[in-house]
Amino acid sequence: MGLVTSTEMFKKAYEGGYAVGAFNVNNMEIIQGIVEAAEEEQAPLILQVSSGARKYANPVYLRKLVEAAIEVTGLDICLHLDHGDDFDICKTCIDSGFSSVMIDGSKHPFKENIALTKRVVDYAHDHGVVVEAELGKLSGIEDAISVADRDSTFTDPDEAIEFVESSGCDSLAITIGTSHGAFKFKGEPHLDFERLDKITALLPNYPLVLHGASSVPKEFVNLCNQYGGQIPGAQGVPEDMLRKAAKSGVCKINIDTDLRLAMTASIRRIFVENPGYFDPRQYLGPGRLAIKAMVAHKIKNVLGCSNKR
Ligand code: G3H
Ligand code: 13P
Ligand code: ZN
């Protein structure tokens, strides 16, 4: 019980055809909202910290908040570094008690990505920590991407086996058409499921990871805009596509943007409806509830991991 790696979570998720949610955390209210939902839903949980979150909140605060969440709820939580850029940040997180790190070497050439990932894996495994790596480039908005572009940026299935075997990484983030942020597709949303199936066939029982997996629900975009926001034409990954991916070897689904939208929509509304409010608890409290509702929805209706802890 307590801080755990994702190994058991992924094994059960793979066998059960569901995914574990990996939610980005930046402050206390975000952590509390996520954890309360996971506790009520009895769901496995990964909390992930980006470099930006480390700079914003100070890593010690975030780690201590996650420890507090474990103490208060008794949940098993995997504490994960999101998009570690180099060996040093991974080492720092491993040394300070993270149970999982991502080394994102996707910007490097194939062999360099393998070498960097292997270096992190060797250090992490010596310390009982698991490693996620990334192969393929998560691009910006997909704009009627050509087959040639797709082949050069999306994960190559044959390279995926070589990468996993040579680097020893415990899970692999793949690119099949998702991207970070609120603007993922200009036209119809499309994920390359054929490619996913090939990767899964070549790497059976191996946990894959989907980044950029927010669905950017229209109601939250509209709510933000109704209360003074300006978020035009956002477009996320449809929820049915995520459910399909979760049944095809994707064991970890990363969600950040949808949490941002939910919290911001709620706080914008509070300010417009209550111009006299100036106690931060009056807006951060509802913001935390909005995070909780969003995470509960993901767990129940998208990830399929209710009662799987
Ligand atoms: O993949 C990126 C996550 O959404 C974290 O974003 O770098 O702004 O904290 P951030
Ligand atoms: P979204 O921007 O789609 O929420 O993706 C978050 C993510 O991949 C974090 O690593
Ligand atoms: Zn990501």
Side-chain angles (χ1 to χ4, degrees):
M1 290 291 258
L3 202 62
V4 295
T5 70
S6 48
T7 307
E8 274 305 304
M9 290 183 190
F10 289 167
K11 194 167 173 290
K12 284 167 72 180
Y14 199 100
E15 284 161 8
Y18 62 87
V20 181
F23 301 98
N24 285 76
V25 298
N26 291 279
N27 70 6
M28 183 184 77
E29 283 77 9
I30 296 174
I31 292 176
Q32 289 175 331
I34 297 168
V35 166
E36 282 173 24
E39 187 183 15
E40 276 184 22
E41 289 303 321
Q42 289 297 299
L45 180 62
I46 299 172
L47 295 178
Q48 54 187 15
V49 172
S50 70
S51 300
R54 285 166 53 83
K55 281 197 198 91
Y56 172 76
N58 181 314
V60 180
Y61 280 94
L62 292 176
R63 190 163 36 81
K64 296 286 178 190
L65 284 167
V66 173
E67 283 169 17
I70 290 169
E71 188 178 326
V72 169
T73 62
L75 282 179
D76 285 342
I77 296 179
C78 173
L79 176 58
H80 176 74
L81 168 68
D82 191 26
H83 292 285
D85 215 29
D86 55 27
F87 177 82
D88 287 345
I89 189 171
C90 293
K91 180 178 183 304
T92 302
C93 288
I94 292 164
D95 292 346
S96 71
F98 278 55
S99 53
S100 174
V101 293
M102 175 188 189
I103 175 68
D104 182 355
S106 60
K107 60 181 177 299
H108 298 296
F110 183 63
K111 294 284 180 197
E112 282 173 38
N113 189 358
I114 289 179
L116 174 61
T117 301
K118 183 165 179 357
R119 189 173 169 220
V120 173
V121 166
D122 288 345
Y123 188 80
H125 286 182
D126 276 351
H127 293 76
V129 171
V130 292
V131 178
E132 172 185 330
E134 179 164 328
L135 185 62
K137 290 184 179 55
L138 222 67
S139 53
I141 304 169
E142 190 189 348
D143 187 7
I145 194 164
S146 71
V147 174
D149 282 350
R150 192 170 280 184
D151 277 339
S152 68
T153 55
F154 286 12
T155 307
D156 179 284
D158 293 318
E159 282 190 353
I161 331 180
E162 187 185 340
F163 187 90
V164 168
E165 284 175 354
S166 312
S167 71
C169 59
D170 302 282
S171 60
L172 184 68
I174 55 161
T175 55
I176 55 168
T178 61
S179 60
H180 293 117
F183 311 94
K184 300 187 192 296
F185 308 94
K186 269 191 183 159
E188 275 299 297
H190 172 82
L191 295 188
D192 193 342
F193 282 104
E194 218 176 295
R195 189 176 297 264
L196 173 60
D197 288 343
K198 273 189 200 149
I199 298 170
T200 307
L202 291 169
L203 285 170
N205 296 312
Y206 186 84
L208 302 173
V209 178
L210 212 53
H211 282 245
S214 279
S215 295
V216 193
K218 293 269 181 297
E219 61 195 284
F220 289 91
V221 175
N222 293 344
L223 207 58
C224 279
N225 291 347
Q226 184 185 338
Y227 292 99
Q230 291 184 357
I231 309 174
Q235 175 76 271
V237 185
E239 292 182 346
D240 58 334
M241 291 190 187
L242 295 169
R243 278 195 293 274
K244 188 171 163 185
K247 289 187 169 57
S248 310
V250 170
C251 295
K252 172 174 180 269
I253 288 190
N254 283 12
I255 298 165
D256 187 4
T257 297
D258 283 351
L259 303 185
R260 296 177 179 192
L261 274 174
M263 190 171 206
T264 303
S266 138
I267 291 174
R268 278 193 175 282
R269 178 186 202 154
I270 294 281
F271 278 139
V272 171
E273 288 179 351
N274 304 277
Y277 278 6
F278 62 90
D279 177 344
R281 293 171 295 190
Q282 289 170 315
Y283 51 90
L284 291 177
R288 176 172 57 195
L289 279 179
I291 295 268
K292 180 178 176 183
M294 176 62 83
V295 172
H297 164 71
K298 297 285 178 189
I299 289 172
K300 281 187 280 197
N301 306 319
V302 181
L303 305 160
C305 63
S306 290
N307 299 311
K308 304 289 189 191
R309 67 169 284 223

